[in-house]
Amino acid sequence: MGDSKLADRYLDAAIGLLRRIRDEEATSIAAAGTLLADTVTAGGRLFAFGAGHSSLAAQDLVYRAGGLALMNLLAVPGVVGVDVMPATLGSALERVDGLAAAVLDSSPLRAGDALVIISLSGRNALPVEMAINARALGIHVIGVTSVAYATQTGSRHSSGTFLKDHCDIVLDSKIAVGDAELTLDSVPAPFAPASTVVTTALLQAVMATAAGTLAERGIEPPLLRSGNVDGGHEWNGRILEEYGDRIFYRH
């Protein structure tokens, strides 16, 4: 099988997953977008969190052209990506009890805010504890996860529960356990993950819904423009100043 055939198989798998989330998650996407719009309308702040590669989908929402300026990254040192050395430390930190509570206590999050928590497996202590503690503080939680893990793997949190069990709204990415779309007889392990493609698309669909919902209410959604188009920097400067009290990535 040539490389082009493998590329086609991967892209077809990704397209199939995107179609599934479009068709099967429409209600949840609408609910999540509405929740974010409600939070913005009420003066609340927006945050996103993910560990490891799930952090990529969180970072994709923050300070970007075409995105809502109000989305902030809730960063946990050592788990924001693969920049920590050794990379395996990030995976270990996801299993540490008490870390999420410490992060929330030292963050600007408060009652009435919204927090998007992204965890493909939803089984590690960090995202589960993050969701439990956030809701206890009166924070709205949107969980983005593959629900399949809850039936095919065990929880690593002391409660035995998963991220999906502690959210106001759950978005199911439909990613198969193991996050690899392709197999070959000549390759000993499955390969070609699709979780980043699908999760980022799922969340951008939510953000589009939030922006449209605000506009329907007569509220201009605080969107950022590309700094690489004429007038982009001036536009963004106005938005960042107007909403500065709800933006935390400037300091």
Side-chain angles (χ1 to χ4, degrees):
M1 178 174 291
D3 288 348
S4 63
K5 293 292 187 183
L6 283 175
D8 287 350
R9 280 178 55 195
Y10 174 76
L11 291 169
D12 286 344
I15 290 166
L17 286 162
L18 291 171
R19 285 190 173 126
R20 281 192 66 194
I21 62 171
R22 179 194 64 193
D23 297 340
E24 298 173 22
E25 295 299 296
T27 301
S28 296
I29 289 170
T34 301
L35 175 56
L36 294 184
D38 289 345
T39 304
V40 171
T41 303
R45 296 88 59 80
L46 310 180
F47 295 82
F49 165 78
H53 285 91
S54 289
S55 177
L56 296 176
Q59 293 177 60
D60 188 59
L61 301 176
V62 178
Y63 185 58
R64 66 162 307 137
L68 284 179
L70 300 190
M71 183 60 75
N72 301 279
L73 184 68
L74 179 61
V76 179
V79 303
V80 177
V82 292
D83 58 335
V84 63
M85 296 292 284
T88 49
L89 176 60
S91 299
L93 288 172
E94 286 187 68
R95 301 178 192 140
V96 173
D97 290 330
L99 181 56
V103 168
L104 282 173
D105 287 346
S106 59
S107 79
L109 274 150
R110 65 188 185 198
D113 290 347
L115 173 61
V116 178
I117 301 177
I118 306 155
S119 173
L120 179 61
S121 73
R123 68 191 295 233
N124 287 308
L126 185 55
V128 175
E129 183 186 323
M130 186 81 74
I132 292 171
N133 286 34
R135 290 184 87 192
L137 293 170
I139 296 160
H140 306 296
V141 174
I142 298 170
V144 188
T145 187
S146 170
V147 173
Y149 277 84
T151 58
Q152 298 177 42
T153 69
S155 170
R156 289 187 176 132
H157 186 255
S158 56
S159 66
T161 60
F162 288 76
L163 170 61
K164 73 172 186 63
D165 301 316
H166 307 286
C167 302
D168 296 288
I169 298 167
V170 176
L171 298 168
D172 184 3
S173 63
K174 318 290 183 183
I175 299 295
V177 173
D179 192 19
E181 293 300 320
L182 301 182
T183 56
L184 272 182
D185 291 342
S186 57
V187 178
F191 56 102
S195 61
T196 305
V197 173
V198 175
T199 303
T200 53
L202 182 54
L203 280 167
Q204 289 297 350
V206 170
M207 301 306 283
T209 303
T213 303
L214 287 168
E216 287 172 4
R217 296 174 181 176
I219 300 169
E220 180 191 333
L223 296 167
L224 294 171
R225 290 180 180 267
S226 172
N228 296 312
V229 299
D230 290 342
H233 284 300
E234 291 77 15
W235 172 280
N236 292 343
R238 176 179 66 84
I239 294 291
L240 294 174
E241 183 175 351
E242 185 176 344
Y243 291 92
D245 60 333
R246 291 194 261 177
I247 294 171
F248 299 94
Y249 50 78
R250 302 179 70 197
H251 307 295

